[in-house]
Amino acid sequence: MLTFLNIAQLVLYIALLALVGQGLLYVLAGAKRDGNIFYQLLQIVSKPFTLLVRKITPAQVADRHVPVVTFFLLLIAYAVVTFEKIALCVEAGMEGCR
């Protein structure tokens, strides 16, 4: 179970960092961000998560807001996984978590 939580935490962390990087490049590069190779790479990394959120959100949510919604949903999921990992480690006596 600990291995599963570690893998889930890592996947969520990578997706969160990709969305943060996208946000920073959105601010720094402005309108030229679509031609930026790093922005495109970060879009590829976060695309599975943003597509999933696009499918579950109502049509009233604008496409430009989907990455923000995705970020906050992933942040909540990351917090849940982290708290479950902490609970598992406390229950196991911290010996199995090193």
Side-chain angles (χ1 to χ4, degrees):
M1 185 65 171
L2 184 62
T3 303
F4 172 74
L5 289 174
N6 282 335
I7 292 170
Q9 193 176 31
L10 180 63
V11 168
L12 291 170
Y13 189 68
I14 290 170
L16 281 167
L17 285 179
L19 287 169
V20 167
Q22 257 183 290
L24 287 174
L25 283 173
Y26 181 85
V27 171
L28 293 175
K32 298 179 185 178
R33 68 184 172 273
D34 290 327
N36 189 321
I37 187 75
F38 296 109
Y39 187 80
Q40 292 172 357
L41 178 65
L42 293 173
Q43 274 187 322
I44 291 170
V45 171
S46 64
K47 192 171 191 166
F49 300 99
T50 54
L51 285 177
L52 178 66
V53 171
R54 176 73 267 172
K55 287 185 182 211
I56 64 172
T57 54
Q60 289 85 7
V61 177
D63 285 339
R64 68 175 193 256
H65 295 143
V66 171
V68 176
V69 173
T70 305
F71 175 78
F72 285 111
L73 288 176
L74 287 176
L75 194 63
I76 292 168
Y78 185 81
V80 168
V81 169
T82 301
F83 288 132
E84 287 298 319
K85 184 177 168 185
I86 290 169
L88 183 67
C89 287
V90 168
E91 182 182 311
M94 301 299 283
E95 286 301 321
C97 296
R98 292 186 184 194

